[in-house]
Amino acid sequence: MQYEYDDQNIFAKILRGEIPNQTVFENEHALAFDDINPQAPVHVLVIPKGPYVSLDHFARDATDEEQLGFMRAVAEVCSSKSIEDGFRAISNARTHGVQDVPHYHLHIIGGAQLGRMLPPVG
Ligand code: 5GP
C-alpha cells in the first residue's frame, strides 16, 4: 500500500496554525480538538502531528514515540471530558470508510447514549 499525504488538507492547516481550533489537549506528537460539527455532546478529534493519512498508515509507519504520544493524548481526552459512562472511538479510512479529511484522526464521541454502531449485514 502506497500512502500519499496531501499537506493542503484541513487538519494540516490546523497543525500549521492557519485555521483556528478549540484545543482540548496537545503534546509533542498529537493534538486533540473539538469537532466543528459535533455528533454528540462530546466529539473530539485526536490527530498525530506527523503526516499520516489514515490509521493503517500511522500504525505501520509512525515511530514508537509518535504512537505512544498519540495514545497518551487519547487518554488525556478521555479523562478530561465527561465520558465516564462510555464513548465510541472511530477512525474512518479512505472511500469505503467515508473518510473526508485525509489526515489520520480518531473521533472520540460520547456524553450521551449512542445508537448501535452499524446495522447488521443482509
Ligand atoms: P472524517 O469523515 O474524515 O472521519 O471526519 C472529518 C471530521 O472533521 C468531521 O467530523 C468534520 O466535522 C470535522 N471537520 C472538518 N473540518 C473541520 C475544521 O475545520 N475544524 C474542525 N474542528 N473539525 C473539522
Side-chain angles (χ1 to χ4, degrees):
M1 177 83 196
Q2 279 285 104
Y3 299 102
E4 292 199 9
Y5 184 79
D6 172 11
D7 69 4
Q8 293 307 304
N9 77 77
I10 205 123
F11 295 168
K13 292 179 180 178
I14 285 176
L15 285 170
R16 290 195 295 267
E18 295 166 13
I19 293 176
N21 73 92
Q22 285 290 109
T23 298
V24 173
F25 179 77
E26 181 170 12
N27 65 21
E28 184 184 353
H29 296 297
L31 176 69
F33 52 95
D34 288 324
D35 195 291
I36 205 168
N37 183 25
Q39 306 293 306
V42 174
H43 188 166
V44 177
L45 301 171
V46 186
I47 69 173
K49 291 188 173 176
Y52 302 103
V53 297
S54 55
L55 170 60
D56 49 329
H57 186 199
F58 183 73
R60 191 187 73 178
D61 290 352
T63 65
D64 291 357
E65 290 73 21
E66 287 176 306
Q67 302 215 22
L68 183 62
F70 182 87
M71 293 311 285
R72 292 286 192 247
V74 171
E76 290 290 340
V77 170
C78 290
S79 63
S80 68
K81 293 286 182 176
S82 299
I83 52 174
E84 295 83 1
D85 291 333
F87 65 93
R88 183 168 295 153
I90 299 172
S91 185
N92 301 315
R94 299 191 286 285
T95 311
H96 281 187
V98 196
Q99 179 179 11
D100 291 327
V101 180
H103 181 113
Y104 170 45
H105 49 285
L106 192 64
H107 298 254
I108 305 288
I109 299 170
Q113 180 64 53
L114 305 175
R116 289 213 171 268
M117 196 165 61
L118 288 172
V121 175

